[in-house]
């Protein structure tokens, strides 16, 4: 099961209390203050892991708490610092504050860490308050509370290319042909219910990652269909490939719908390099294909393909690679 959104509460550890203590030894009836400081509370830390793919675990556990710092003791013994709590998340997870919507961090690289809740400071023991005029202080500090907050976890897939199209446009079939991915494929809308990733090998020593995004419909940016919950995955892709069924009555109309939905969600998506793949050309005649492609503006880079016969597939992969090289890192 692919889960790409979760909400959890995190609580850092409280700081330990400082100690009120005086040195008591034989023949030393009035020893000085020797209360130690409390230890700091542990932090809650989010850490990216390349071995995780979804946020499924956070469906069943919603609360996370780091360890408290230990209290200070007599004989100037400091309390032990509370242990940090490390929460492992998939690479590509965006972390936001649930109340303010503030971006806390973006886990892009493997093993990258972000502190999402800081532990409280340990309180000072009475030994810290001794002065020349107050040699027997009875003051000490209580440790401060650790931070508590609710955070949103939003997973956005890390891929080089995003395949975007209306339902049943042939995205999953194409992904299965150009990579080793094996997404669910059938001839009806919304076969793909979750994003799929595939690694495409190009020539001898190069490869890139392609994401098959569930089909978009008009109003997807408002959550219609499978809409908004999956559009977010396109945000990280370097280029976008629009897949349009060659059996469509209006291929440029379909192209317009797709671009409008992406633009309404995030206009920056329209600035990404893109291309158009006309799919299922094995189902139409060459004359029909010619009439159709004559309507495509010269500014649009396109390839006609058939994932069934393999026609145009190599050319399509080459176009994707060219766009990736042009787009840079």
């Amino acid at each position: 099961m692919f889960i790409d959104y979760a909400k959890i509460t995190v609580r850092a550890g409280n700081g330990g209390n400082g100690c009120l203590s005086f040195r008591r030894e034989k023949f030393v009836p009035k020893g000085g203050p020797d209360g130690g400081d409390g230890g700091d509370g542990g932090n809650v830390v989010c850490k990216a892991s390349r071995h995780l793919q979804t946020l499924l675990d956070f469906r069943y556990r919603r609360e996370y708490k780091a360890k408290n710092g230990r209290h200070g003791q007599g004989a100037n013994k400091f309390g032990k610092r509370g242990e940090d709590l490390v929460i492992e998340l998939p690479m590509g997870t965006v972390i936001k504050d649930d109340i303010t919507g503030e971006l806390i961090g973006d886990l892009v690289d493997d093993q990258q860490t972000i502190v999402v809740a800081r532990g409280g400071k340990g309180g000072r023991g009475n030994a810290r308050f001794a002065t020349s005029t107050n040699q027997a202080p009875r003051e000490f500090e209580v440790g401060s509370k650790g931070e508590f907050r609710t955070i949103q976890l939003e997973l956005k897939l890390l891929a080089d290319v995003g395949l975007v199209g209306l339902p049943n446009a042939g995205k999953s079939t194409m992904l299965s042909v150009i990579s080793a991915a094996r997404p669910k494929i059938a001839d009806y809308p919304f076969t793909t219910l979750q994003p799929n990733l595939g690694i495409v090998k190009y020539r001898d020593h190069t490869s890139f990652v392609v994401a098959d995004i569930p089909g978009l419909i008009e109003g997807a940016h408002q959550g219609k269909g499978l809409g908004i919950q999956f559009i977010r995955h396109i945000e990280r892709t370097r280029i976008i490939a629009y897949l349009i069924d060659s059996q469509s009555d209006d291929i440029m109309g379909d192209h317009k719908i797709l671009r409008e939905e992406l633009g309404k969600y995030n206009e920056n998506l329209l600035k990404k390099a893109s291309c158009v793949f006309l799919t299922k050309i094995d189902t139409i005649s060459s004359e029909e294909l010619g009439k159709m492609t004559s309507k495509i503006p010269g500014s649009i880079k396109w390839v006609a393909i058939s994932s069934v016969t393999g026609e145009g597939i190599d050319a399509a992969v080459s176009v994707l690679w060219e766009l990736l090289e042009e787009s840079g890192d």
Side-chain angles (χ1 to χ4, degrees), residues 148-165:
F148 170 81
R149 70 199 312 182
T150 299
I151 59 176
Q152 299 175 14
L153 306 176
E154 190 176 280
L155 176 59
K156 298 179 182 180
L157 294 180
L158 297 172
D160 298 302
V161 180
L163 302 182
V164 178

Side-chain angles (χ1 to χ4, degrees), residues 89-111:
L89 299 170
M91 292 169 59
T93 302
V94 175
I95 307 168
K96 297 179 180 178
D97 184 276
D98 184 52
I99 296 177
T100 66
E102 172 194 1
L103 175 66
I104 300 172
D106 191 355
L107 295 173
V108 177
D109 302 314
D110 187 36
Q111 302 302 303

Side-chain angles (χ1 to χ4, degrees), residues 11-19 36-44 65-73 78-84 117-125 140-148:
R11 187 187 298 273
N14 298 329
N17 297 336
C19 178
D37 298 345
D40 294 341
N43 300 323
V44 179
K65 186 180 185 305
K67 297 290 186 181
N68 294 331
R70 300 294 293 271
H71 300 316
Q73 300 180 41
F78 286 18
K80 185 178 179 181
R81 184 185 183 279
E83 185 177 347
D84 289 345
R118 296 193 176 278
K121 296 294 293 182
R124 292 180 294 173
F140 68 96
E141 289 179 338
V142 174
S144 61
K145 297 286 186 181
E147 289 183 334
F148 170 81

Side-chain angles (χ1 to χ4, degrees), residues 174 177-178 202 303-305 310-321:
M174 181 180 180
V177 171
I178 64 177
Y202 184 69
V303 179
I305 67 169
E311 183 178 354
I313 292 297
D314 288 343
V317 172
S318 293
V319 166
L320 294 177
W321 180 255

Side-chain angles (χ1 to χ4, degrees), residues 273-293:
S274 66
C275 59
V276 170
F277 295 146
L278 292 177
T279 64
K280 307 179 185 179
I281 60 171
D282 56 291
T283 63
I284 62 173
S285 67
S286 56
E287 290 77 16
E288 290 174 312
L289 178 61
K291 291 180 182 179
M292 192 174 300
T293 55

Side-chain angles (χ1 to χ4, degrees), residues 207-236:
S207 63
F208 55 92
V209 179
V210 176
D212 161 27
I213 309 299
L216 303 183
I217 63 174
E218 285 191 88
H221 70 284
Q222 297 174 324
K224 293 183 180 179
L226 299 176
I228 199 168
Q229 67 184 112
F230 293 125
I231 294 181
R232 68 168 67 99
H233 295 296
I234 307 169
E235 290 185 278
R236 293 192 190 276

Side-chain angles (χ1 to χ4, degrees), residues 168-178 185-187 243 245-247 278-284 304-314 316:
N168 205 29
K171 300 181 298 298
S172 298
T173 306
M174 181 180 180
L175 182 67
S176 70
V177 171
I178 64 177
I185 299 171
D187 192 22
L243 270 67
D245 191 336
S246 61
Q247 297 177 341
L278 292 177
T279 64
K280 307 179 185 179
I281 60 171
D282 56 291
T283 63
I284 62 173
I305 67 169
S306 169
S307 297
V308 174
T309 66
E311 183 178 354
I313 292 297
D314 288 343

